[in-house]
Amino acid sequence: ERAPTWLVLGPAAMAVSMRRLSWCALLVGRGVSADAGGVEASGSAKEAPCLCTFDVDRTLTGKQDDTYHCPANKVTDVVDTAYGGGHLTLSKVGQNICDTFCSGCYVGIITAGDASGPDSKERGLLVEKLLACGKLVSTTWTGPSAPGEARSNCSGVAIDSPLVTGCIDGTKQYAMESIVRWLKAEHEVAVARHRAWHFDDRADNIGPFDGAGFNAHQVSCQTRDVKGILGLCGATQAEISNVTGISVCQASLATPTSTPTMSAQSAPPPPVVET
């Protein structure tokens, strides 16, 4: 499988901007290739605690019901209300984090959405997948949208779990900070900032992590949607890297390739729903 094309930026001070293009412009000006500038975290997860947090929509999931462009994704019988709705369709990482370094880390979710709301089957399935390999210390959902859609800036928002919903794009770094503090206070687990990683399909959720001391990498680099703003198929195992610093996809910095135009003859067949 072809590894993602990343531009990697080590910790550096940048002016704070929530606009995707502003962050991308800064990353282009300061970034170097992953092979040249990325530093793989030393030691194993057993030597020091580590933390992996994941966005949900187009990171742990792909576009609903789309196995035409994303043949490795898995369509489920679970309802997913994001981006117009459909069947919850798990990305390669959403299906299995066991083959990534995160399998030895504490894990959590930081999403702008609500994962289809309280007591949803989507929330239950995502918890199941994280529990399969990672260290998920609570199955309670928290954050502004825990009781339902009510997203807001997550600066200063109190949490009681690593499953954080409703953080508007550009404020997820605050949720990471809160999770690290909560793990220390409630579980006596001290995760160093350079041992914490966030993975997200949107570039405007990556730039704000710079200067906070955490690591953040954009995913779904080879498959993009909505003019490159969103991922399409979601994260692959190759993109879940313990390289330190922050990185964005080249596809977020240039005009994306349009998805194929499908005629009636070439349109994909209805998805096979797996139960």
Side-chain angles (χ1 to χ4, degrees), residues 13 29 32 43 54 111 116-117 123 130 136 140 145 150 169 174 179 194-195 202 237 244 247 260 264:
V32 294
F54 302 90
T111 180
S116 296
R123 289 189 181 186
L130 292 180
L136 182 61
T140 299
S145 294
D169 296 315
Y174 301 122
I179 293 172
H194 71 280
R195 298 281 294 170
R202 292 183 61 120
Q237 277 78 8
T244 57
S247 66

Side-chain angles (χ1 to χ4, degrees), residues 109-110 140-147 150 152-167 171 174-183 185-186:
I109 281 173
I110 305 175
T140 299
W141 291 79
T142 189
S145 294
S152 67
N153 188 317
C154 272
S155 177
V157 170
I159 67 162
D160 56 4
S161 165
L163 301 173
V164 186
T165 63
C167 294
T171 72
Y174 301 122
M176 175 74 89
E177 180 84 45
S178 296
I179 293 172
V180 168
R181 290 179 178 176
W182 180 81
L183 285 171
E186 298 297 325

Side-chain angles (χ1 to χ4, degrees), residues 63-100:
K63 186 175 182 179
Q64 294 99 322
D65 300 301
D66 189 349
T67 54
Y68 178 76
H69 298 105
C70 310
N73 284 4
K74 179 180 179 181
V75 180
T76 73
D77 62 352
V78 173
V79 172
D80 178 3
T81 60
Y83 299 129
H87 290 104
L88 177 68
T89 302
L90 295 171
S91 68
K92 294 181 73 174
V93 169
Q95 295 171 57
N96 178 21
I97 69 165
C98 299
D99 294 332
T100 72

Side-chain angles (χ1 to χ4, degrees), residues 202-223:
R202 292 183 61 120
D204 53 359
N205 286 321
I206 302 302
F209 277 84
D210 186 62
F214 300 119
N215 309 294
H217 299 305
Q218 191 179 9
V219 298
S220 196
C221 287
Q222 299 301 324
T223 58

